[in-house]
Amino acid sequence: MSQAPHRPSGGEGQYPNGTQTEGKTRGERGGSGVAGLLESREAPSVVRRLRLSSQVVLIGRPPCPGGQRIQRLAAAGRESWNPAAAPPRLGLRVAPARVSAGPELDPESLRSALRLHSRVYRRCGIKLRRRQRREGGDCSGWSLKLEVRSGANLSPASRATFYFRDLDKKWHVELKMDQALLLIHNELLGTNLSVYWNSEHCYHCLLQVLVNVSGNGKPGKPSIAAVAVSTQHGSILQLNDTLEEKEVCRLEYKFGEFGNYSLLVKHVHNGVNEIACDVVVNENPVDSNLPVSIAFLVGLAVVIAVCFLRFLLSLDDFNNWISKAINSRETDRLINSELGSPSRAGQLGDDTQLEAWRLSAVPLRLRCVDTFRGIALILMVFVNYGGGKYWYFKHASWNGLTVADLVFPWFVFIMGSSIFLSMTSILQRGCSKFRLLGKVTWRSFLLICIGIFIVNPNYCLGPLSWDKLRIPGVLQRLGVTYFVVAVLELLFAKPVPESCTVERRCSSLQDIISSWPQWLFILMLESIWLALTFFLPVPGCPTGYLGPGGIGDLGKYPNCTGGAAGYIDRLLLGDDHLYQHPSSTVLYHTKVAYDPEGILGTINSIVMAFLGVQAGKILLYYKDQTKDILIRFTAWCCFLGLMSVAFTKISENEGFIPVNKNLWSISYVTTLSSFAFFILLILYPVVDVKGLWSGAPFFYPGMNSILVYVGHEVFHNYFPFQWRLQDNHSHKEHLIQNIVATAVWVLIAYILYKKKVFWKI
């Protein structure tokens, strides 16, 4: 962790006191960086001005034995430039230029490049001078001096001088996505430091050794170590004296992506000999969330434009004007052709009336249900494709919620609603319960088989291996959950009353009272989950353990990941048939296999689906009574929300039962069900009652959910869903790729909807 390959196209520099820095670069992306800010009274302000319009060139290794290299440091440059080419044309702003060359660069090309840049910068009042101070025949003293004179176009500063020098000793650190460069300067002579790191999101975790820094420096020349640190969450840094094993200092800091930071450890002489640890920003980080903000604003602009266009089309005057402008010539042609004859017109009119009659005879489908399913599905596709590699589009490492943790339970919830609505419709058409049971069994079997044999295996890695086949999975859990909930409803199915009015007290809770056998079964299931989770003895682990294992809980239970849930899966299925890379490995460094779609968690997914059944009953029992439906949605939302508050104590880790997607804890179910009722509370009046929104574009994938889910898993590595990126460490490029891939599936679902192609199993 303390050493990594050198990141290309960087720049080095040195403070006057010997402190070395290394500017962050972004490789072939042509990023900018300023490393080594040196002797200048007005350096910060001048650098800010130069970053807007200029280019600073650092000579890392001038012509001498051992090779040469020119490196770019700084500011506005983005384009590559050949030193042999003519200098860029300049006005008040210096055009971007990049000088780069490898060891093959000959001395003459180097001198030519410097002459060109000298001419360029003299036009803007900047003077370049070369200075060489050989030390032992090497090139460590070679430097470049840049002066900004008074009256220069780029800065009104009186005079600013910068020195950039290259040292033979280099720090080789490759910055990847969500990382920053941290230079640790140990000015404590004779004191070796051990630097420990941990993430603020890692609950009760052991500190991990980040790097060791020797204390062999000289006065004014501290020992330096460079390391990459994570920028996803806040960091906890603790520095210990290696020999005496005592804490020197401890601090918390939130680093920014591709930022360049220095941690200065030195004595402070203020009457008391204290040690200070200060973080200094050498180079500001990039705004990694900017692509998400831009994508959101673009999407919002598209939505506003579509809404405005729909509003214009709803105006009769505008609609008539558009119709006349488009169809004036077409109308004349139809009048003078056979297509406009009275007989044909009459036939067209009869067909239209017949089609309208047929549509009116078909019972209305609740679009809010399909829209909600489509929202969950599209979010699922987006996060499965990577979500731009942002941490909040990935699953939480253990406790807590991210966007990725919302989609699967919502899909289970809306599946429960669909079970009740579809089964009621089928039974009303005269289908027998026995025949319907056969359909339910077959569909569940197909879902499980598709999950095991099509979605789970990665056939790009070779043929299917029975020894390493993962048995649990998303579709497997959906199949089991669907079977249990559908059979439960089928066994206790009752005719739905035509109306349910609030005047009759007995009917005010009819949707709950009529389902008391189902509720009794669900409560028994939940009791089994609670008993197994908190009272099942697990070898080597405390009873009722809900932690991630690994380095969590101070490393006391490294092999207890998931407690009873993990133990049951490993006991019944075996380690080789479980998910080998759970999300807990990211922060907690867990070593044992753990499956978030395991056996014990399936109980709570059944509870989640049954709460969806309850939402479907509300929609059907109180049909055409919008107020009653909204009141019940609100009541369920608040009730389940209060249960979540009681379980979690409004804390991510300190509650009785934390919200945890890996465990599918009961607090996770109540929290996500509360959100689901709230979404239906919004969608039902907007989509179905008022018709303010058709549900597009989410409605279309919601109508073909199995096809979209299976398709996006099977064709994950195929174009146009994935292609080779120019920079694999760019959030922007990943985000664009994932948005395009998701949009393609929406387009496919739309085309299939228009063609009336629906894949049902």
Side-chain angles (χ1 to χ4, degrees), residues 39 90 98 115 123 132 138 194 196 239 265 280 314 322 329 346 372 419 449 462 586 593 642 652 671:
E39 310 168 21
L90 301 175
R98 178 177 179 178
R115 283 197 297 270
R123 300 182 188 180
Q132 184 176 14
D138 61 16
S194 297
Y196 297 88
L239 283 72
V265 186
V280 177
S314 66
I322 291 293
R329 294 185 179 181
F372 191 6
I419 288 173
C449 289
V586 177
L642 290 175
E652 183 176 294
T671 301

Side-chain angles (χ1 to χ4, degrees), residues 70 81-87 98-101 105 109-110 112-114 116-117:
I70 298 181
W81 174 62
N82 186 349
R98 178 177 179 178
V99 180
S100 58
L105 182 64
S109 297
L110 178 65
S112 174
L114 285 175
L116 289 175
H117 275 72

Side-chain angles (χ1 to χ4, degrees), residues 366 368-370 372-373 408-424 481-482 485-486 488-489 511-512 515 518-519 522 603-621 629 632-633 636-637 640 664 669-678 680-681:
L366 289 168
C368 66
V369 174
D370 294 313
F372 191 6
R373 186 189 300 111
F408 187 27
W410 282 351
F411 195 86
V412 172
F413 180 92
I414 212 65
M415 181 185 72
S417 301
S418 301
I419 288 173
F420 177 76
L421 295 173
S422 62
M423 287 181 57
T424 302
T481 302
Y482 173 79
V485 174
L488 184 63
E489 283 300 306
D511 54 314
I512 298 177
S515 305
Q518 295 96 307
W519 276 110
I522 292 299
I603 292 178
N604 280 339
S605 69
I606 293 172
V607 176
M608 185 91 189
F610 187 74
L611 289 172
V613 169
Q614 193 63 41
K617 289 183 177 182
I618 292 173
L619 288 169
L620 206 56
Y621 275 57
I629 291 175
R632 282 160 176 78
F633 282 168
W636 274 107
C637 177
L640 292 169
W664 269 72
V669 170
T670 55
T671 301
L672 272 298
S673 297
S674 177
F675 292 166
F677 275 108
F678 178 77
L680 284 179
L681 179 65

Side-chain angles (χ1 to χ4, degrees), residues 445-748:
F445 175 75
L446 286 180
L447 284 172
I448 294 172
C449 289
I450 292 173
I452 293 178
F453 300 112
I454 297 180
V455 174
N456 271 354
N458 186 356
Y459 291 103
C460 295
L461 301 179
L464 181 67
S465 172
W466 295 102
D467 296 334
K468 300 290 184 180
L469 181 66
R470 180 192 176 195
I471 296 177
V474 172
L475 287 182
Q476 295 91 305
R477 174 166 288 188
L478 287 176
V480 174
T481 302
Y482 173 79
F483 179 79
V484 173
V485 174
V487 170
L488 184 63
E489 283 300 306
L490 192 59
L491 291 175
F492 301 101
K494 294 181 180 180
V496 178
E498 292 294 330
S499 62
C500 182
T501 57
V502 293
E503 283 81 3
R504 293 180 294 168
R505 287 175 180 259
C506 61
S507 64
S508 60
L509 297 176
Q510 186 170 354
D511 54 314
I512 298 177
I513 296 174
S514 63
S515 305
W516 70 266
Q518 295 96 307
W519 276 110
L520 183 61
F521 180 81
I522 292 299
L523 291 176
M524 290 175 57
L525 274 182
E526 189 55 38
S527 300
I528 292 173
W529 183 86
L530 291 170
L532 290 175
T533 300
F534 291 102
F535 299 105
L536 178 68
V538 179
C541 305
T543 303
Y545 181 70
L546 299 177
I551 64 172
D553 299 293
L554 302 179
K556 296 178 181 178
Y557 319 110
N559 299 320
C560 295
T561 303
Y567 173 68
I568 291 173
D569 290 340
R570 291 189 290 271
L571 182 66
L572 299 180
L573 302 178
D575 287 352
D576 292 337
H577 298 291
L578 302 178
Y579 190 50
Q580 300 298 314
H581 306 286
S583 60
S584 55
T585 58
V586 177
L587 287 182
Y588 294 94
H589 305 286
T590 54
K591 303 298 183 182
V592 298
Y594 180 82
D595 208 303
E597 279 76 50
I599 297 173
L600 196 57
T602 305
I603 292 178
N604 280 339
S605 69
I606 293 172
V607 176
M608 185 91 189
F610 187 74
L611 289 172
V613 169
Q614 193 63 41
K617 289 183 177 182
I618 292 173
L619 288 169
L620 206 56
Y621 275 57
Y622 303 96
K623 182 175 57 176
D624 300 328
Q625 301 179 44
T626 304
K627 181 179 178 181
D628 294 333
I629 291 175
L630 298 184
I631 288 175
R632 282 160 176 78
F633 282 168
T634 304
W636 274 107
C637 177
C638 295
F639 174 70
L640 292 169
L642 290 175
M643 288 185 65
S644 299
V645 170
F647 286 138
T648 64
K649 297 194 291 189
I650 321 179
S651 171
E652 183 176 294
N653 298 295
E654 301 293 342
F656 302 109
I657 305 178
V659 173
N660 189 297
K661 190 265 179 187
N662 289 280
L663 296 171
W664 269 72
S665 61
I666 185 59
S667 58
Y668 177 68
V669 170
T670 55
T671 301
L672 272 298
S673 297
S674 177
F675 292 166
F677 275 108
F678 178 77
I679 292 174
L680 284 179
L681 179 65
I682 301 299
L683 289 180
Y684 177 69
V686 171
V687 175
D688 286 305
V689 178
K690 300 294 185 181
L692 300 177
W693 179 35
S694 65
F698 304 106
F699 173 77
Y700 307 115
M703 292 288 290
N704 235 330
S705 56
I706 296 298
L707 185 145
V708 172
Y709 180 80
V710 175
H712 100 278
E713 288 280 4
V714 172
F715 297 102
H716 178 275
N717 295 319
Y718 294 86
F719 182 83
F721 310 109
Q722 192 177 87
W723 59 85
R724 184 181 297 275
L725 301 178
Q726 187 176 7
D727 182 2
N728 202 41
H729 294 291
S730 168
H731 279 296
K732 180 183 70 175
E733 292 193 35
H734 281 283
L735 184 65
I736 292 173
Q737 184 184 75
N738 301 150
I739 290 177
V740 169
T742 306
V744 169
W745 281 113
V746 174
L747 179 61
I748 292 173

